[in-house]
Amino acid sequence: MTIQARWNQFVDKCLSCRACELAESRQNVVVWRGGIKAPLMILGEGPGADEDRLGKPFVGRSGQLLDLLLSSFDLKEKDYHICNIVKCRPPGNRVPTREEAAECRKLLSEQLRLVRPTVYLLMGGTAYKYFTGSDEGITRVRGLWIETNNCFVMPTFHPAYVLRDPRKKSLLWQDFASVRKKLEELSFLPPLRIDAGEI
Ligand code: URA
């Protein structure tokens, strides 16, 4: 079976998932945007109202900041795969419960096996906690690479947090710069060129 066929099958499985009660209130199951095969996986917490309505992750205000970061570091759709810890919107944008995250992890693990990213960017404390199983605060761990099974994991702030506290903006940019550099070191991307015309 081609990767596209396997991917389509996986998406269908997600769309029909009713494993937790988030299925009751969702409008859409939010699976991903970006490349199906991508060296970088970007993980958020869970869909908000805009994502639920449109069926794609990070398409609201946080998504606008994320897109600005991606384009600033010349990251293209084929380079990244964006998804969330849970694929359905928690009502009122509450944090997903441990049980919801655990149910959805089964789909996320399948997703990882299909996408096979080498670099992970975990955005926000919830993504960090549920992805790694660690309870350490995001402020302590952000910006520090975790190396595991030949993969590289970078925890960082969630864009929504940075929008609420713009003093944290430069740290989010720094972490994106580290991710870009790592993708270059691993030969997934050429060195970032700054066009003299832009200076
Ligand atoms: N916040 C998230 O964590 N994920 C989204 O998809 C949108 C906002």
Side-chain angles (χ1 to χ4, degrees):
M1 216 196 296
T2 63
I3 174 71
Q4 186 65 55
R6 285 168 65 208
W7 181 256
N8 293 346
Q9 216 171 54
F10 168 71
V11 173
D12 284 346
K13 184 171 172 180
C14 294
L15 298 188
S16 60
C17 178
R18 305 204 67 84
C20 79
E21 66 179 30
L22 296 182
E24 308 301 322
S25 50
R26 73 180 179 220
Q27 285 186 56
N28 278 295
V29 181
V30 177
V31 183
W32 97 108
R33 70 178 169 100
I36 294 175
K37 282 276 178 202
L40 170 64
M41 175 167 279
I42 300 177
L43 263 168
E45 177 175 315
D50 294 322
E51 290 76 20
D52 184 40
R53 189 166 46 84
L54 297 171
K56 282 184 189 293
F58 285 96
V59 290
R61 273 194 80 213
S62 295
Q64 281 173 14
L65 176 53
L66 176 58
D67 284 343
L68 176 65
L69 283 150
L70 291 168
S71 60
S72 301
F73 286 98
D74 201 26
L75 292 165
K76 306 269 172 26
E77 255 193 23
K78 65 168 178 45
D79 303 319
Y80 57 77
H81 181 103
I82 305 174
C83 57
N84 282 301
I85 291 293
V86 292
K87 291 179 168 40
C88 299
R89 183 190 184 202
N93 294 347
R94 65 163 170 74
V95 174
T97 64
R98 193 172 284 282
E99 292 71 30
E100 289 158 357
E103 274 306 330
C104 221
R105 180 65 183 241
K106 297 171 194 166
L107 290 174
L108 182 57
S109 296
E110 236 179 276
Q111 196 160 359
L112 301 187
R113 286 196 294 275
L114 289 166
V115 180
R116 293 194 138 277
T118 303
V119 180
Y120 292 79
L121 181 66
L122 308 179
M123 297 198 305
T126 303
Y128 174 72
K129 175 178 160 176
Y130 287 136
F131 191 76
T132 64
S134 164
D135 272 330
E136 267 204 282
I138 190 71
T139 307
R140 288 176 71 89
V141 296
R142 68 133 286 278
L144 304 173
W145 284 108
I146 303 162
E147 208 179 320
T148 169
N149 300 326
N150 294 321
C151 289
F152 300 86
V153 180
M154 167 62 69
T156 192
F157 292 133
H158 194 287
Y161 174 65
V162 170
L163 287 169
R164 287 194 301 273
D165 184 355
R167 288 170 305 174
K168 302 292 188 305
K169 209 189 275 182
S170 63
L171 297 173
L172 181 59
W173 283 78
Q174 264 178 41
D175 298 344
F176 256 82
S178 291
V179 164
R180 168 79 211 194
K181 195 154 159 263
K182 183 65 77 185
L183 291 165
E184 290 173 14
E185 281 167 12
L186 295 166
S187 302
F188 287 115
L189 293 175
L192 187 59
R193 272 189 59 239
I194 298 179
D195 191 334
E198 290 173 8
I199 299 174

mmCIF file of all heavy atoms in Angstrom, residues 74-113:
data_model
loop_
_atom_site.group_PDB
_atom_site.id
_atom_site.type_symbol
_atom_site.label_atom_id
_atom_site.label_comp_id
_atom_site.label_asym_id
_atom_site.label_seq_id
_atom_site.Cartn_x
_atom_site.Cartn_y
_atom_site.Cartn_z
ATOM 1 N N ASP A 74 11.770 30.067 7.031
ATOM 2 C CA ASP A 74 11.685 29.434 5.717
ATOM 3 C C ASP A 74 11.336 27.944 5.810
ATOM 4 O O ASP A 74 11.929 27.110 5.122
ATOM 5 C CB ASP A 74 13.001 29.641 4.938
ATOM 6 C CG ASP A 74 12.783 29.479 3.441
ATOM 7 O OD1 ASP A 74 11.647 29.706 2.983
ATOM 8 O OD2 ASP A 74 13.738 29.087 2.733
ATOM 9 N N LEU A 75 10.394 27.644 6.689
ATOM 10 C CA LEU A 75 9.909 26.272 6.790
ATOM 11 C C LEU A 75 8.654 26.147 5.936
ATOM 12 O O LEU A 75 7.695 26.908 6.093
ATOM 13 C CB LEU A 75 9.625 25.914 8.256
ATOM 14 C CG LEU A 75 10.885 25.841 9.118
ATOM 15 C CD1 LEU A 75 10.543 25.858 10.593
ATOM 16 C CD2 LEU A 75 11.705 24.603 8.782
ATOM 17 N N LYS A 76 8.691 25.169 5.015
ATOM 18 C CA LYS A 76 7.599 24.993 4.059
ATOM 19 C C LYS A 76 6.727 23.819 4.482
ATOM 20 O O LYS A 76 7.147 22.994 5.288
ATOM 21 C CB LYS A 76 8.189 24.704 2.670
ATOM 22 C CG LYS A 76 9.185 25.739 2.194
ATOM 23 C CD LYS A 76 8.458 26.802 1.428
ATOM 24 C CE LYS A 76 9.268 28.021 1.026
ATOM 25 N NZ LYS A 76 10.688 27.940 0.860
ATOM 26 N N GLU A 77 5.551 23.727 3.880
ATOM 27 C CA GLU A 77 4.603 22.658 4.249
ATOM 28 C C GLU A 77 5.233 21.266 4.247
ATOM 29 O O GLU A 77 4.943 20.455 5.100
ATOM 30 C CB GLU A 77 3.407 22.679 3.303
ATOM 31 C CG GLU A 77 2.191 23.266 3.967
ATOM 32 C CD GLU A 77 0.909 23.023 3.200
ATOM 33 O OE1 GLU A 77 0.839 22.064 2.404
ATOM 34 O OE2 GLU A 77 -0.004 23.809 3.403
ATOM 35 N N LYS A 78 6.108 21.019 3.280
ATOM 36 C CA LYS A 78 6.716 19.693 3.193
ATOM 37 C C LYS A 78 7.670 19.425 4.366
ATOM 38 O O LYS A 78 8.041 18.278 4.638
ATOM 39 C CB LYS A 78 7.474 19.537 1.868
ATOM 40 C CG LYS A 78 8.654 20.488 1.788
ATOM 41 C CD LYS A 78 9.581 20.168 0.649
ATOM 42 C CE LYS A 78 10.734 21.157 0.536
ATOM 43 N NZ LYS A 78 11.444 21.550 1.725
ATOM 44 N N ASP A 79 8.079 20.497 5.072
ATOM 45 C CA ASP A 79 9.062 20.344 6.154
ATOM 46 C C ASP A 79 8.421 20.008 7.493
ATOM 47 O O ASP A 79 9.089 19.520 8.390
ATOM 48 C CB ASP A 79 9.873 21.646 6.332
ATOM 49 C CG ASP A 79 10.578 22.066 5.064
ATOM 50 O OD1 ASP A 79 11.117 21.176 4.383
ATOM 51 O OD2 ASP A 79 10.598 23.289 4.758
ATOM 52 N N TYR A 80 7.145 20.371 7.666
ATOM 53 C CA TYR A 80 6.531 20.191 8.989
ATOM 54 C C TYR A 80 5.188 19.467 8.908
ATOM 55 O O TYR A 80 4.522 19.443 7.873
ATOM 56 C CB TYR A 80 6.345 21.551 9.687
ATOM 57 C CG TYR A 80 5.517 22.547 8.912
ATOM 58 C CD1 TYR A 80 4.131 22.443 8.868
ATOM 59 C CD2 TYR A 80 6.116 23.596 8.209
ATOM 60 C CE1 TYR A 80 3.360 23.355 8.155
ATOM 61 C CE2 TYR A 80 5.357 24.516 7.485
ATOM 62 C CZ TYR A 80 3.990 24.385 7.472
ATOM 63 O OH TYR A 80 3.223 25.272 6.761
ATOM 64 N N HIS A 81 4.829 18.918 10.040
ATOM 65 C CA HIS A 81 3.544 18.236 10.199
ATOM 66 C C HIS A 81 2.986 18.722 11.537
ATOM 67 O O HIS A 81 3.595 18.486 12.586
ATOM 68 C CB HIS A 81 3.789 16.722 10.224
ATOM 69 C CG HIS A 81 2.567 15.885 10.349
ATOM 70 N ND1 HIS A 81 2.001 15.215 9.281
ATOM 71 C CD2 HIS A 81 1.794 15.582 11.409
ATOM 72 C CE1 HIS A 81 0.932 14.545 9.690
ATOM 73 N NE2 HIS A 81 0.785 14.758 10.977
ATOM 74 N N ILE A 82 1.888 19.464 11.484
ATOM 75 C CA ILE A 82 1.343 20.072 12.702
ATOM 76 C C ILE A 82 0.149 19.265 13.196
ATOM 77 O O ILE A 82 -0.762 18.943 12.411
ATOM 78 C CB ILE A 82 0.883 21.529 12.435
ATOM 79 C CG1 ILE A 82 2.035 22.348 11.843
ATOM 80 C CG2 ILE A 82 0.362 22.175 13.712
ATOM 81 C CD1 ILE A 82 1.627 23.765 11.424
ATOM 82 N N CYS A 83 0.153 18.934 14.472
ATOM 83 C CA CYS A 83 -1.000 18.241 15.058
ATOM 84 C C CYS A 83 -1.070 18.558 16.549
ATOM 85 O O CYS A 83 -0.365 19.447 17.029
ATOM 86 C CB CYS A 83 -0.939 16.740 14.780
ATOM 87 S SG CYS A 83 0.546 15.943 15.370
ATOM 88 N N ASN A 84 -1.942 17.869 17.254
ATOM 89 C CA ASN A 84 -2.195 18.177 18.662
ATOM 90 C C ASN A 84 -2.225 16.908 19.504
ATOM 91 O O ASN A 84 -2.383 15.812 18.979
ATOM 92 C CB ASN A 84 -3.565 18.872 18.786
ATOM 93 C CG ASN A 84 -3.523 20.330 18.395
ATOM 94 O OD1 ASN A 84 -2.784 21.118 18.968
ATOM 95 N ND2 ASN A 84 -4.325 20.700 17.399
ATOM 96 N N ILE A 85 -2.126 17.098 20.806
ATOM 97 C CA ILE A 85 -2.238 15.977 21.753
ATOM 98 C C ILE A 85 -3.618 15.319 21.635
ATOM 99 O O ILE A 85 -3.732 14.100 21.637
ATOM 100 C CB ILE A 85 -1.986 16.482 23.202
ATOM 101 C CG1 ILE A 85 -0.519 16.883 23.377
ATOM 102 C CG2 ILE A 85 -2.414 15.452 24.243
ATOM 103 C CD1 ILE A 85 0.483 15.738 23.311
ATOM 104 N N VAL A 86 -4.672 16.145 21.526
ATOM 105 C CA VAL A 86 -6.007 15.570 21.252
ATOM 106 C C VAL A 86 -6.553 16.156 19.948
ATOM 107 O O VAL A 86 -6.285 17.305 19.600
ATOM 108 C CB VAL A 86 -7.021 15.805 22.404
ATOM 109 C CG1 VAL A 86 -6.630 15.014 23.637
ATOM 110 C CG2 VAL A 86 -7.196 17.280 22.737
ATOM 111 N N LYS A 87 -7.321 15.339 19.248
ATOM 112 C CA LYS A 87 -7.791 15.709 17.908
ATOM 113 C C LYS A 87 -9.175 16.339 17.906
ATOM 114 O O LYS A 87 -9.675 16.721 16.858
ATOM 115 C CB LYS A 87 -7.786 14.475 17.002
ATOM 116 C CG LYS A 87 -6.376 14.007 16.681
ATOM 117 C CD LYS A 87 -6.359 12.784 15.821
ATOM 118 C CE LYS A 87 -4.972 12.491 15.279
ATOM 119 N NZ LYS A 87 -3.853 12.700 16.189
ATOM 120 N N CYS A 88 -9.814 16.377 19.074
ATOM 121 C CA CYS A 88 -11.144 16.985 19.154
ATOM 122 C C CYS A 88 -11.112 18.093 20.197
ATOM 123 O O CYS A 88 -10.383 17.996 21.200
ATOM 124 C CB CYS A 88 -12.194 15.939 19.526
ATOM 125 S SG CYS A 88 -12.290 14.617 18.289
ATOM 126 N N ARG A 89 -11.927 19.116 19.974
ATOM 127 C CA ARG A 89 -11.894 20.285 20.849
ATOM 128 C C ARG A 89 -12.463 19.985 22.238
ATOM 129 O O ARG A 89 -13.607 19.550 22.351
ATOM 130 C CB ARG A 89 -12.722 21.406 20.229
ATOM 131 C CG ARG A 89 -12.666 22.664 21.056
ATOM 132 C CD ARG A 89 -13.665 23.692 20.593
ATOM 133 N NE ARG A 89 -13.505 24.911 21.373
ATOM 134 C CZ ARG A 89 -14.440 25.829 21.536
ATOM 135 N NH1 ARG A 89 -15.605 25.683 20.931
ATOM 136 N NH2 ARG A 89 -14.209 26.883 22.271
ATOM 137 N N PRO A 90 -11.673 20.236 23.282
ATOM 138 C CA PRO A 90 -12.256 20.151 24.625
ATOM 139 C C PRO A 90 -13.213 21.336 24.815
ATOM 140 O O PRO A 90 -12.846 22.484 24.513
ATOM 141 C CB PRO A 90 -11.038 20.264 25.548
ATOM 142 C CG PRO A 90 -9.847 19.932 24.685
ATOM 143 C CD PRO A 90 -10.215 20.446 23.321
ATOM 144 N N PRO A 91 -14.440 21.085 25.273
ATOM 145 C CA PRO A 91 -15.431 22.165 25.391
ATOM 146 C C PRO A 91 -14.872 23.343 26.189
ATOM 147 O O PRO A 91 -14.201 23.146 27.209
ATOM 148 C CB PRO A 91 -16.584 21.499 26.146
ATOM 149 C CG PRO A 91 -16.411 20.041 25.925
ATOM 150 C CD PRO A 91 -14.949 19.790 25.740
ATOM 151 N N GLY A 92 -15.137 24.542 25.695
ATOM 152 C CA GLY A 92 -14.682 25.752 26.381
ATOM 153 C C GLY A 92 -13.162 25.896 26.404
ATOM 154 O O GLY A 92 -12.628 26.656 27.212
ATOM 155 N N ASN A 93 -12.476 25.136 25.561
ATOM 156 C CA ASN A 93 -11.006 25.179 25.490
ATOM 157 C C ASN A 93 -10.327 24.763 26.789
ATOM 158 O O ASN A 93 -9.208 25.200 27.072
ATOM 159 C CB ASN A 93 -10.485 26.569 25.101
ATOM 160 C CG ASN A 93 -10.880 26.959 23.706
ATOM 161 O OD1 ASN A 93 -11.337 26.105 22.933
ATOM 162 N ND2 ASN A 93 -10.727 28.216 23.377
ATOM 163 N N ARG A 94 -10.992 23.916 27.574
ATOM 164 C CA ARG A 94 -10.309 23.428 28.775
ATOM 165 C C ARG A 94 -9.147 22.536 28.363
ATOM 166 O O ARG A 94 -9.060 22.088 27.215
ATOM 167 C CB ARG A 94 -11.299 22.695 29.686
ATOM 168 C CG ARG A 94 -11.868 21.437 29.079
ATOM 169 C CD ARG A 94 -12.510 20.538 30.121
ATOM 170 N NE ARG A 94 -13.251 19.444 29.532
ATOM 171 C CZ ARG A 94 -12.703 18.376 28.972
ATOM 172 N NH1 ARG A 94 -11.393 18.257 28.892
ATOM 173 N NH2 ARG A 94 -13.463 17.428 28.460
ATOM 174 N N VAL A 95 -8.259 22.276 29.327
ATOM 175 C CA VAL A 95 -7.119 21.388 29.078
ATOM 176 C C VAL A 95 -7.657 19.956 28.941
ATOM 177 O O VAL A 95 -8.542 19.556 29.703
ATOM 178 C CB VAL A 95 -6.122 21.492 30.265
ATOM 179 C CG1 VAL A 95 -4.992 20.494 30.120
ATOM 180 C CG2 VAL A 95 -5.584 22.920 30.374
ATOM 181 N N PRO A 96 -7.140 19.184 27.982
ATOM 182 C CA PRO A 96 -7.607 17.792 27.863
ATOM 183 C C PRO A 96 -7.298 17.011 29.143
ATOM 184 O O PRO A 96 -6.269 17.256 29.777
ATOM 185 C CB PRO A 96 -6.798 17.228 26.694
ATOM 186 C CG PRO A 96 -6.113 18.368 26.044
ATOM 187 C CD PRO A 96 -6.130 19.530 26.974
ATOM 188 N N THR A 97 -8.189 16.094 29.503
ATOM 189 C CA THR A 97 -7.914 15.276 30.685
ATOM 190 C C THR A 97 -6.856 14.222 30.345
ATOM 191 O O THR A 97 -6.602 13.930 29.166
ATOM 192 C CB THR A 97 -9.187 14.535 31.158
ATOM 193 O OG1 THR A 97 -9.569 13.623 30.118
ATOM 194 C CG2 THR A 97 -10.323 15.502 31.458
ATOM 195 N N ARG A 98 -6.312 13.631 31.414
ATOM 196 C CA ARG A 98 -5.312 12.571 31.219
ATOM 197 C C ARG A 98 -5.912 11.412 30.405
ATOM 198 O O ARG A 98 -5.252 10.835 29.537
ATOM 199 C CB ARG A 98 -4.874 12.082 32.608
ATOM 200 C CG ARG A 98 -3.644 11.232 32.602
ATOM 201 C CD ARG A 98 -3.174 10.960 34.018
ATOM 202 N NE ARG A 98 -2.503 12.103 34.629
ATOM 203 C CZ ARG A 98 -1.255 12.471 34.387
ATOM 204 N NH1 ARG A 98 -0.521 11.793 33.526
ATOM 205 N NH2 ARG A 98 -0.719 13.518 34.979
ATOM 206 N N GLU A 99 -7.182 11.099 30.681
ATOM 207 C CA GLU A 99 -7.850 9.977 29.985
ATOM 208 C C GLU A 99 -8.036 10.305 28.498
ATOM 209 O O GLU A 99 -7.813 9.453 27.639
ATOM 210 C CB GLU A 99 -9.221 9.687 30.609
ATOM 211 C CG GLU A 99 -9.187 9.112 32.019
ATOM 212 C CD GLU A 99 -8.753 10.121 33.078
ATOM 213 O OE1 GLU A 99 -9.007 11.338 32.891
ATOM 214 O OE2 GLU A 99 -8.136 9.703 34.079
ATOM 215 N N GLU A 100 -8.444 11.552 28.216
ATOM 216 C CA GLU A 100 -8.625 11.948 26.812
ATOM 217 C C GLU A 100 -7.285 11.897 26.069
ATOM 218 O O GLU A 100 -7.198 11.379 24.946
ATOM 219 C CB GLU A 100 -9.216 13.361 26.740
ATOM 220 C CG GLU A 100 -10.676 13.427 27.174
ATOM 221 C CD GLU A 100 -11.141 14.807 27.615
ATOM 222 O OE1 GLU A 100 -10.319 15.761 27.654
ATOM 223 O OE2 GLU A 100 -12.331 14.941 27.938
ATOM 224 N N ALA A 101 -6.247 12.406 26.732
ATOM 225 C CA ALA A 101 -4.915 12.400 26.102
ATOM 226 C C ALA A 101 -4.450 10.963 25.875
ATOM 227 O O ALA A 101 -3.864 10.644 24.835
ATOM 228 C CB ALA A 101 -3.924 13.168 26.976
ATOM 229 N N ALA A 102 -4.728 10.083 26.835
ATOM 230 C CA ALA A 102 -4.283 8.684 26.717
ATOM 231 C C ALA A 102 -5.027 7.972 25.579
ATOM 232 O O ALA A 102 -4.416 7.218 24.812
ATOM 233 C CB ALA A 102 -4.504 7.947 28.037
ATOM 234 N N GLU A 103 -6.323 8.219 25.446
ATOM 235 C CA GLU A 103 -7.077 7.609 24.341
ATOM 236 C C GLU A 103 -6.521 8.096 23.007
ATOM 237 O O GLU A 103 -6.297 7.324 22.085
ATOM 238 C CB GLU A 103 -8.565 7.981 24.431
ATOM 239 C CG GLU A 103 -9.409 7.078 25.303
ATOM 240 C CD GLU A 103 -9.303 5.598 24.939
ATOM 241 O OE1 GLU A 103 -9.081 5.271 23.755
ATOM 242 O OE2 GLU A 103 -9.436 4.772 25.844
ATOM 243 N N CYS A 104 -6.310 9.416 22.925
ATOM 244 C CA CYS A 104 -5.870 10.012 21.660
ATOM 245 C C CYS A 104 -4.414 9.652 21.346
ATOM 246 O O CYS A 104 -4.005 9.682 20.192
ATOM 247 C CB CYS A 104 -6.066 11.530 21.720
ATOM 248 S SG CYS A 104 -6.705 12.202 20.183
ATOM 249 N N ARG A 105 -3.654 9.281 22.362
ATOM 250 C CA ARG A 105 -2.254 8.914 22.147
ATOM 251 C C ARG A 105 -2.140 7.700 21.219
ATOM 252 O O ARG A 105 -1.163 7.552 20.481
ATOM 253 C CB ARG A 105 -1.595 8.624 23.504
ATOM 254 C CG ARG A 105 -0.129 8.224 23.426
ATOM 255 C CD ARG A 105 0.691 9.404 22.897
ATOM 256 N NE ARG A 105 2.073 9.054 22.732
ATOM 257 C CZ ARG A 105 3.074 9.656 23.374
ATOM 258 N NH1 ARG A 105 2.854 10.644 24.198
ATOM 259 N NH2 ARG A 105 4.309 9.294 23.157
ATOM 260 N N LYS A 106 -3.180 6.846 21.267
ATOM 261 C CA LYS A 106 -3.148 5.661 20.389
ATOM 262 C C LYS A 106 -3.125 6.107 18.923
ATOM 263 O O LYS A 106 -2.367 5.576 18.111
ATOM 264 C CB LYS A 106 -4.367 4.772 20.660
ATOM 265 C CG LYS A 106 -4.373 4.212 22.082
ATOM 266 C CD LYS A 106 -5.692 3.529 22.397
ATOM 267 C CE LYS A 106 -5.824 3.296 23.904
ATOM 268 N NZ LYS A 106 -7.201 2.939 24.306
ATOM 269 N N LEU A 107 -3.946 7.100 18.604
ATOM 270 C CA LEU A 107 -3.956 7.627 17.232
ATOM 271 C C LEU A 107 -2.677 8.397 16.952
ATOM 272 O O LEU A 107 -2.092 8.296 15.871
ATOM 273 C CB LEU A 107 -5.176 8.530 17.017
ATOM 274 C CG LEU A 107 -6.533 7.825 16.976
ATOM 275 C CD1 LEU A 107 -7.661 8.841 16.898
ATOM 276 C CD2 LEU A 107 -6.617 6.858 15.791
ATOM 277 N N LEU A 108 -2.232 9.170 17.948
ATOM 278 C CA LEU A 108 -1.008 9.962 17.744
ATOM 279 C C LEU A 108 0.194 9.038 17.488
ATOM 280 O O LEU A 108 1.035 9.320 16.629
ATOM 281 C CB LEU A 108 -0.761 10.867 18.960
ATOM 282 C CG LEU A 108 0.444 11.794 18.885
ATOM 283 C CD1 LEU A 108 0.382 12.719 17.674
ATOM 284 C CD2 LEU A 108 0.567 12.629 20.171
ATOM 285 N N SER A 109 0.246 7.926 18.198
ATOM 286 C CA SER A 109 1.367 6.995 18.004
ATOM 287 C C SER A 109 1.347 6.427 16.585
ATOM 288 O O SER A 109 2.392 6.275 15.943
ATOM 289 C CB SER A 109 1.302 5.847 19.021
ATOM 290 O OG SER A 109 1.467 6.380 20.304
ATOM 291 N N GLU A 110 0.139 6.140 16.097
ATOM 292 C CA GLU A 110 0.018 5.659 14.712
ATOM 293 C C GLU A 110 0.487 6.731 13.739
ATOM 294 O O GLU A 110 1.169 6.451 12.750
ATOM 295 C CB GLU A 110 -1.457 5.351 14.428
ATOM 296 C CG GLU A 110 -1.688 3.939 13.960
ATOM 297 C CD GLU A 110 -3.152 3.658 13.700
ATOM 298 O OE1 GLU A 110 -3.872 3.328 14.660
ATOM 299 O OE2 GLU A 110 -3.575 3.769 12.546
ATOM 300 N N GLN A 111 0.092 7.965 14.057
ATOM 301 C CA GLN A 111 0.471 9.116 13.221
ATOM 302 C C GLN A 111 2.007 9.238 13.160
ATOM 303 O O GLN A 111 2.585 9.444 12.106
ATOM 304 C CB GLN A 111 -0.148 10.372 13.839
ATOM 305 C CG GLN A 111 -0.189 11.586 12.952
ATOM 306 C CD GLN A 111 -1.229 12.593 13.460
ATOM 307 O OE1 GLN A 111 -1.910 12.348 14.451
ATOM 308 N NE2 GLN A 111 -1.342 13.717 12.789
ATOM 309 N N LEU A 112 2.653 9.085 14.324
ATOM 310 C CA LEU A 112 4.122 9.191 14.364
ATOM 311 C C LEU A 112 4.764 8.097 13.521
ATOM 312 O O LEU A 112 5.760 8.343 12.836
ATOM 313 C CB LEU A 112 4.643 9.045 15.807
ATOM 314 C CG LEU A 112 4.154 10.026 16.854
ATOM 315 C CD1 LEU A 112 4.897 9.836 18.166
ATOM 316 C CD2 LEU A 112 4.359 11.444 16.365
ATOM 317 N N ARG A 113 4.171 6.905 13.567
ATOM 318 C CA ARG A 113 4.749 5.800 12.791
ATOM 319 C C ARG A 113 4.623 6.060 11.291
ATOM 320 O O ARG A 113 5.454 5.623 10.505
ATOM 321 C CB ARG A 113 4.072 4.471 13.168
ATOM 322 C CG ARG A 113 4.518 3.952 14.538
ATOM 323 C CD ARG A 113 4.151 2.485 14.725
ATOM 324 N NE ARG A 113 2.720 2.271 14.783
ATOM 325 C CZ ARG A 113 1.971 2.390 15.888
ATOM 326 N NH1 ARG A 113 2.542 2.710 17.035
ATOM 327 N NH2 ARG A 113 0.678 2.165 15.848
#
